[in-house]
mmCIF file with all atom_site columns, all heavy atoms in Angstrom:
data_model
loop_
_atom_site.group_PDB
_atom_site.id
_atom_site.type_symbol
_atom_site.label_atom_id
_atom_site.label_alt_id
_atom_site.label_comp_id
_atom_site.label_asym_id
_atom_site.label_entity_id
_atom_site.label_seq_id
_atom_site.pdbx_PDB_ins_code
_atom_site.Cartn_x
_atom_site.Cartn_y
_atom_site.Cartn_z
_atom_site.occupancy
_atom_site.B_iso_or_equiv
_atom_site.pdbx_formal_charge
_atom_site.auth_seq_id
_atom_site.auth_comp_id
_atom_site.auth_asym_id
_atom_site.auth_atom_id
_atom_site.pdbx_PDB_model_num
ATOM 1   N N   . LYS A 1 15 ? 140.219 -48.292 -6.527  1.00 76.00 ? 15 LYS A N   1
ATOM 2   C CA  . LYS A 1 15 ? 139.295 -49.312 -7.012  1.00 76.00 ? 15 LYS A CA  1
ATOM 3   C C   . LYS A 1 15 ? 139.501 -50.646 -6.296  1.00 76.00 ? 15 LYS A C   1
ATOM 4   O O   . LYS A 1 15 ? 138.548 -51.324 -5.926  1.00 76.00 ? 15 LYS A O   1
ATOM 5   C CB  . LYS A 1 15 ? 139.468 -49.499 -8.519  1.00 76.00 ? 15 LYS A CB  1
ATOM 6   C CG  . LYS A 1 15 ? 138.594 -50.591 -9.106  1.00 76.00 ? 15 LYS A CG  1
ATOM 7   C CD  . LYS A 1 15 ? 138.855 -50.737 -10.591 1.00 76.00 ? 15 LYS A CD  1
ATOM 8   C CE  . LYS A 1 15 ? 138.093 -51.921 -11.160 1.00 76.00 ? 15 LYS A CE  1
ATOM 9   N NZ  . LYS A 1 15 ? 138.397 -52.144 -12.570 1.00 76.00 ? 15 LYS A NZ  1
ATOM 10  N N   . HIS A 1 16 ? 140.753 -51.017 -6.087  1.00 70.00 ? 16 HIS A N   1
ATOM 11  C CA  . HIS A 1 16 ? 141.041 -52.331 -5.527  1.00 70.00 ? 16 HIS A CA  1
ATOM 12  C C   . HIS A 1 16 ? 141.173 -52.367 -4.007  1.00 70.00 ? 16 HIS A C   1
ATOM 13  O O   . HIS A 1 16 ? 141.100 -53.443 -3.415  1.00 70.00 ? 16 HIS A O   1
ATOM 14  C CB  . HIS A 1 16 ? 142.305 -52.910 -6.166  1.00 70.00 ? 16 HIS A CB  1
ATOM 15  C CG  . HIS A 1 16 ? 142.107 -53.244 -7.615  1.00 70.00 ? 16 HIS A CG  1
ATOM 16  N ND1 . HIS A 1 16 ? 141.363 -54.319 -8.036  1.00 70.00 ? 16 HIS A ND1 1
ATOM 17  C CD2 . HIS A 1 16 ? 142.521 -52.616 -8.738  1.00 70.00 ? 16 HIS A CD2 1
ATOM 18  C CE1 . HIS A 1 16 ? 141.342 -54.361 -9.354  1.00 70.00 ? 16 HIS A CE1 1
ATOM 19  N NE2 . HIS A 1 16 ? 142.040 -53.334 -9.807  1.00 70.00 ? 16 HIS A NE2 1
ATOM 20  N N   . PHE A 1 17 ? 141.373 -51.209 -3.378  1.00 67.00 ? 17 PHE A N   1
ATOM 21  C CA  . PHE A 1 17 ? 141.615 -51.236 -1.938  1.00 67.00 ? 17 PHE A CA  1
ATOM 22  C C   . PHE A 1 17 ? 140.574 -50.509 -1.098  1.00 67.00 ? 17 PHE A C   1
ATOM 23  O O   . PHE A 1 17 ? 140.607 -50.606 0.115   1.00 67.00 ? 17 PHE A O   1
ATOM 24  C CB  . PHE A 1 17 ? 143.011 -50.689 -1.616  1.00 67.00 ? 17 PHE A CB  1
ATOM 25  C CG  . PHE A 1 17 ? 144.098 -51.620 -2.067  1.00 67.00 ? 17 PHE A CG  1
ATOM 26  C CD1 . PHE A 1 17 ? 144.820 -51.351 -3.212  1.00 67.00 ? 17 PHE A CD1 1
ATOM 27  C CD2 . PHE A 1 17 ? 144.372 -52.784 -1.364  1.00 67.00 ? 17 PHE A CD2 1
ATOM 28  C CE1 . PHE A 1 17 ? 145.802 -52.217 -3.652  1.00 67.00 ? 17 PHE A CE1 1
ATOM 29  C CE2 . PHE A 1 17 ? 145.354 -53.656 -1.794  1.00 67.00 ? 17 PHE A CE2 1
ATOM 30  C CZ  . PHE A 1 17 ? 146.080 -53.369 -2.941  1.00 67.00 ? 17 PHE A CZ  1
ATOM 31  N N   . VAL A 1 18 ? 139.665 -49.781 -1.715  1.00 68.00 ? 18 VAL A N   1
ATOM 32  C CA  . VAL A 1 18 ? 138.606 -49.142 -0.949  1.00 68.00 ? 18 VAL A CA  1
ATOM 33  C C   . VAL A 1 18 ? 137.538 -50.198 -0.708  1.00 68.00 ? 18 VAL A C   1
ATOM 34  O O   . VAL A 1 18 ? 137.041 -50.821 -1.636  1.00 68.00 ? 18 VAL A O   1
ATOM 35  C CB  . VAL A 1 18 ? 138.022 -47.925 -1.700  1.00 68.00 ? 18 VAL A CB  1
ATOM 36  C CG1 . VAL A 1 18 ? 136.801 -47.395 -0.973  1.00 68.00 ? 18 VAL A CG1 1
ATOM 37  C CG2 . VAL A 1 18 ? 139.067 -46.841 -1.824  1.00 68.00 ? 18 VAL A CG2 1
ATOM 38  N N   . ASN A 1 19 ? 137.223 -50.414 0.548   1.00 67.00 ? 19 ASN A N   1
ATOM 39  C CA  . ASN A 1 19 ? 136.257 -51.442 0.930   1.00 67.00 ? 19 ASN A CA  1
ATOM 40  C C   . ASN A 1 19 ? 134.929 -50.769 1.252   1.00 67.00 ? 19 ASN A C   1
ATOM 41  O O   . ASN A 1 19 ? 134.801 -50.148 2.301   1.00 67.00 ? 19 ASN A O   1
ATOM 42  C CB  . ASN A 1 19 ? 136.789 -52.209 2.143   1.00 67.00 ? 19 ASN A CB  1
ATOM 43  C CG  . ASN A 1 19 ? 135.861 -53.305 2.579   1.00 67.00 ? 19 ASN A CG  1
ATOM 44  O OD1 . ASN A 1 19 ? 134.811 -53.523 1.996   1.00 67.00 ? 19 ASN A OD1 1
ATOM 45  N ND2 . ASN A 1 19 ? 136.244 -54.013 3.628   1.00 67.00 ? 19 ASN A ND2 1
ATOM 46  N N   . PRO A 1 20 ? 133.920 -50.900 0.379   1.00 67.00 ? 20 PRO A N   1
ATOM 47  C CA  . PRO A 1 20 ? 132.643 -50.237 0.643   1.00 67.00 ? 20 PRO A CA  1
ATOM 48  C C   . PRO A 1 20 ? 131.902 -50.830 1.847   1.00 67.00 ? 20 PRO A C   1
ATOM 49  O O   . PRO A 1 20 ? 131.006 -50.207 2.381   1.00 67.00 ? 20 PRO A O   1
ATOM 50  C CB  . PRO A 1 20 ? 131.852 -50.460 -0.650  1.00 67.00 ? 20 PRO A CB  1
ATOM 51  C CG  . PRO A 1 20 ? 132.471 -51.654 -1.290  1.00 67.00 ? 20 PRO A CG  1
ATOM 52  C CD  . PRO A 1 20 ? 133.920 -51.658 -0.859  1.00 67.00 ? 20 PRO A CD  1
ATOM 53  N N   . ASP A 1 21 ? 132.299 -52.024 2.291   1.00 72.00 ? 21 ASP A N   1
ATOM 54  C CA  . ASP A 1 21 ? 131.609 -52.689 3.394   1.00 72.00 ? 21 ASP A CA  1
ATOM 55  C C   . ASP A 1 21 ? 132.253 -52.457 4.754   1.00 72.00 ? 21 ASP A C   1
ATOM 56  O O   . ASP A 1 21 ? 131.786 -52.982 5.752   1.00 72.00 ? 21 ASP A O   1
ATOM 57  C CB  . ASP A 1 21 ? 131.551 -54.196 3.127   1.00 72.00 ? 21 ASP A CB  1
ATOM 58  C CG  . ASP A 1 21 ? 130.797 -54.517 1.849   1.00 72.00 ? 21 ASP A CG  1
ATOM 59  O OD1 . ASP A 1 21 ? 129.812 -53.806 1.556   1.00 72.00 ? 21 ASP A OD1 1
ATOM 60  O OD2 . ASP A 1 21 ? 131.216 -55.442 1.135   1.00 72.00 ? 21 ASP A OD2 1
ATOM 61  N N   . GLY A 1 22 ? 133.352 -51.732 4.809   1.00 69.00 ? 22 GLY A N   1
ATOM 62  C CA  . GLY A 1 22 ? 134.000 -51.521 6.096   1.00 69.00 ? 22 GLY A CA  1
ATOM 63  C C   . GLY A 1 22 ? 135.282 -50.731 5.944   1.00 69.00 ? 22 GLY A C   1
ATOM 64  O O   . GLY A 1 22 ? 135.653 -50.335 4.846   1.00 69.00 ? 22 GLY A O   1
ATOM 65  N N   . PRO A 1 23 ? 135.962 -50.524 7.065   1.00 67.00 ? 23 PRO A N   1
ATOM 66  C CA  . PRO A 1 23 ? 137.185 -49.700 7.026   1.00 67.00 ? 23 PRO A CA  1
ATOM 67  C C   . PRO A 1 23 ? 138.342 -50.413 6.328   1.00 67.00 ? 23 PRO A C   1
ATOM 68  O O   . PRO A 1 23 ? 138.420 -51.637 6.305   1.00 67.00 ? 23 PRO A O   1
ATOM 69  C CB  . PRO A 1 23 ? 137.502 -49.487 8.505   1.00 67.00 ? 23 PRO A CB  1
ATOM 70  C CG  . PRO A 1 23 ? 136.888 -50.660 9.192   1.00 67.00 ? 23 PRO A CG  1
ATOM 71  C CD  . PRO A 1 23 ? 135.659 -51.014 8.397   1.00 67.00 ? 23 PRO A CD  1
ATOM 72  N N   . VAL A 1 24 ? 139.205 -49.614 5.788   1.00 61.00 ? 24 VAL A N   1
ATOM 73  C CA  . VAL A 1 24 ? 140.438 -50.129 5.191   1.00 61.00 ? 24 VAL A CA  1
ATOM 74  C C   . VAL A 1 24 ? 141.431 -50.314 6.324   1.00 61.00 ? 24 VAL A C   1
ATOM 75  O O   . VAL A 1 24 ? 141.608 -49.437 7.160   1.00 61.00 ? 24 VAL A O   1
ATOM 76  C CB  . VAL A 1 24 ? 140.997 -49.129 4.157   1.00 61.00 ? 24 VAL A CB  1
ATOM 77  C CG1 . VAL A 1 24 ? 142.370 -49.556 3.680   1.00 61.00 ? 24 VAL A CG1 1
ATOM 78  C CG2 . VAL A 1 24 ? 140.038 -48.994 2.992   1.00 61.00 ? 24 VAL A CG2 1
ATOM 79  N N   . ARG A 1 25 ? 142.078 -51.453 6.367   1.00 68.00 ? 25 ARG A N   1
ATOM 80  C CA  . ARG A 1 25 ? 143.053 -51.705 7.434   1.00 68.00 ? 25 ARG A CA  1
ATOM 81  C C   . ARG A 1 25 ? 144.409 -51.117 7.098   1.00 68.00 ? 25 ARG A C   1
ATOM 82  O O   . ARG A 1 25 ? 145.129 -50.691 7.956   1.00 68.00 ? 25 ARG A O   1
ATOM 83  C CB  . ARG A 1 25 ? 143.164 -53.196 7.696   1.00 68.00 ? 25 ARG A CB  1
ATOM 84  C CG  . ARG A 1 25 ? 141.896 -53.759 8.312   1.00 68.00 ? 25 ARG A CG  1
ATOM 85  C CD  . ARG A 1 25 ? 142.069 -55.201 8.686   1.00 68.00 ? 25 ARG A CD  1
ATOM 86  N NE  . ARG A 1 25 ? 143.295 -55.444 9.407   1.00 68.00 ? 25 ARG A NE  1
ATOM 87  C CZ  . ARG A 1 25 ? 143.414 -55.592 10.716  1.00 68.00 ? 25 ARG A CZ  1
ATOM 88  N NH1 . ARG A 1 25 ? 142.343 -55.511 11.453  1.00 68.00 ? 25 ARG A NH1 1
ATOM 89  N NH2 . ARG A 1 25 ? 144.571 -55.837 11.279  1.00 68.00 ? 25 ARG A NH2 1
ATOM 90  N N   . GLY A 1 26 ? 144.782 -51.128 5.851   1.00 75.00 ? 26 GLY A N   1
ATOM 91  C CA  . GLY A 1 26 ? 146.062 -50.547 5.476   1.00 75.00 ? 26 GLY A CA  1
ATOM 92  C C   . GLY A 1 26 ? 146.534 -51.048 4.125   1.00 75.00 ? 26 GLY A C   1
ATOM 93  O O   . GLY A 1 26 ? 146.115 -52.099 3.663   1.00 75.00 ? 26 GLY A O   1
ATOM 94  N N   . VAL A 1 27 ? 147.397 -50.267 3.533   1.00 78.00 ? 27 VAL A N   1
ATOM 95  C CA  . VAL A 1 27 ? 148.006 -50.597 2.251   1.00 78.00 ? 27 VAL A CA  1
ATOM 96  C C   . VAL A 1 27 ? 149.462 -50.187 2.337   1.00 78.00 ? 27 VAL A C   1
ATOM 97  O O   . VAL A 1 27 ? 149.778 -49.121 2.863   1.00 78.00 ? 27 VAL A O   1
ATOM 98  C CB  . VAL A 1 27 ? 147.324 -49.832 1.087   1.00 78.00 ? 27 VAL A CB  1
ATOM 99  C CG1 . VAL A 1 27 ? 148.048 -50.077 -0.212  1.00 78.00 ? 27 VAL A CG1 1
ATOM 100 C CG2 . VAL A 1 27 ? 145.859 -50.207 0.973   1.00 78.00 ? 27 VAL A CG2 1
ATOM 101 N N   . ALA A 1 28 ? 150.340 -51.009 1.840   1.00 82.00 ? 28 ALA A N   1
ATOM 102 C CA  . ALA A 1 28 ? 151.762 -50.672 1.790   1.00 82.00 ? 28 ALA A CA  1
ATOM 103 C C   . ALA A 1 28 ? 152.179 -50.577 0.337   1.00 82.00 ? 28 ALA A C   1
ATOM 104 O O   . ALA A 1 28 ? 151.899 -51.473 -0.455  1.00 82.00 ? 28 ALA A O   1
ATOM 105 C CB  . ALA A 1 28 ? 152.582 -51.741 2.501   1.00 82.00 ? 28 ALA A CB  1
ATOM 106 N N   . LEU A 1 29 ? 152.818 -49.471 -0.009  1.00 86.00 ? 29 LEU A N   1
ATOM 107 C CA  . LEU A 1 29 ? 153.346 -49.297 -1.358  1.00 86.00 ? 29 LEU A CA  1
ATOM 108 C C   . LEU A 1 29 ? 154.855 -49.465 -1.301  1.00 86.00 ? 29 LEU A C   1
ATOM 109 O O   . LEU A 1 29 ? 155.519 -48.859 -0.473  1.00 86.00 ? 29 LEU A O   1
ATOM 110 C CB  . LEU A 1 29 ? 152.999 -47.907 -1.891  1.00 86.00 ? 29 LEU A CB  1
ATOM 111 C CG  . LEU A 1 29 ? 151.511 -47.559 -1.943  1.00 86.00 ? 29 LEU A CG  1
ATOM 112 C CD1 . LEU A 1 29 ? 151.336 -46.124 -2.438  1.00 86.00 ? 29 LEU A CD1 1
ATOM 113 C CD2 . LEU A 1 29 ? 150.766 -48.523 -2.837  1.00 86.00 ? 29 LEU A CD2 1
ATOM 114 N N   . ILE A 1 30 ? 155.380 -50.289 -2.187  1.00 84.00 ? 30 ILE A N   1
ATOM 115 C CA  . ILE A 1 30 ? 156.822 -50.485 -2.253  1.00 84.00 ? 30 ILE A CA  1
ATOM 116 C C   . ILE A 1 30 ? 157.298 -50.182 -3.665  1.00 84.00 ? 30 ILE A C   1
ATOM 117 O O   . ILE A 1 30 ? 156.544 -50.320 -4.627  1.00 84.00 ? 30 ILE A O   1
ATOM 118 C CB  . ILE A 1 30 ? 157.234 -51.915 -1.841  1.00 84.00 ? 30 ILE A CB  1
ATOM 119 C CG1 . ILE A 1 30 ? 156.556 -52.955 -2.732  1.00 84.00 ? 30 ILE A CG1 1
ATOM 120 C CG2 . ILE A 1 30 ? 156.904 -52.178 -0.390  1.00 84.00 ? 30 ILE A CG2 1
ATOM 121 C CD1 . ILE A 1 30 ? 157.060 -54.358 -2.531  1.00 84.00 ? 30 ILE A CD1 1
ATOM 122 N N   . GLY A 1 31 ? 158.520 -49.727 -3.777  1.00 86.00 ? 31 GLY A N   1
ATOM 123 C CA  . GLY A 1 31 ? 159.064 -49.425 -5.094  1.00 86.00 ? 31 GLY A CA  1
ATOM 124 C C   . GLY A 1 31 ? 160.335 -48.618 -4.984  1.00 86.00 ? 31 GLY A C   1
ATOM 125 O O   . GLY A 1 31 ? 160.798 -48.293 -3.888  1.00 86.00 ? 31 GLY A O   1
ATOM 126 N N   . LEU A 1 32 ? 160.871 -48.295 -6.117  1.00 88.00 ? 32 LEU A N   1
ATOM 127 C CA  . LEU A 1 32 ? 162.117 -47.544 -6.183  1.00 88.00 ? 32 LEU A CA  1
ATOM 128 C C   . LEU A 1 32 ? 161.920 -46.107 -5.712  1.00 88.00 ? 32 LEU A C   1
ATOM 129 O O   . LEU A 1 32 ? 160.813 -45.566 -5.776  1.00 88.00 ? 32 LEU A O   1
ATOM 130 C CB  . LEU A 1 32 ? 162.644 -47.542 -7.622  1.00 88.00 ? 32 LEU A CB  1
ATOM 131 C CG  . LEU A 1 32 ? 162.971 -48.915 -8.211  1.00 88.00 ? 32 LEU A CG  1
ATOM 132 C CD1 . LEU A 1 32 ? 163.317 -48.775 -9.688  1.00 88.00 ? 32 LEU A CD1 1
ATOM 133 C CD2 . LEU A 1 32 ? 164.117 -49.549 -7.456  1.00 88.00 ? 32 LEU A CD2 1
ATOM 134 N N   . ARG A 1 33 ? 163.023 -45.496 -5.274  1.00 85.00 ? 33 ARG A N   1
ATOM 135 C CA  . ARG A 1 33 ? 162.970 -44.079 -4.898  1.00 85.00 ? 33 ARG A CA  1
ATOM 136 C C   . ARG A 1 33 ? 162.512 -43.263 -6.099  1.00 85.00 ? 33 ARG A C   1
ATOM 137 O O   . ARG A 1 33 ? 162.931 -43.497 -7.226  1.00 85.00 ? 33 ARG A O   1
ATOM 138 C CB  . ARG A 1 33 ? 164.343 -43.581 -4.458  1.00 85.00 ? 33 ARG A CB  1
ATOM 139 C CG  . ARG A 1 33 ? 164.716 -44.027 -3.087  1.00 85.00 ? 33 ARG A CG  1
ATOM 140 C CD  . ARG A 1 33 ? 165.939 -43.336 -2.545  1.00 85.00 ? 33 ARG A CD  1
ATOM 141 N NE  . ARG A 1 33 ? 167.026 -43.271 -3.510  1.00 85.00 ? 33 ARG A NE  1
ATOM 142 C CZ  . ARG A 1 33 ? 168.030 -42.421 -3.455  1.00 85.00 ? 33 ARG A CZ  1
ATOM 143 N NH1 . ARG A 1 33 ? 168.093 -41.554 -2.471  1.00 85.00 ? 33 ARG A NH1 1
ATOM 144 N NH2 . ARG A 1 33 ? 168.972 -42.436 -4.347  1.00 85.00 ? 33 ARG A NH2 1
#
Side-chain angles (χ1 to χ4, degrees):
K15 177 182 174 184
H16 292 287
F17 290 103
V18 172
N19 181 0
D21 299 324
V24 172
R25 292 185 47 101
V27 174
L29 302 178
I30 58 171
L32 299 173
R33 284 191 314 160

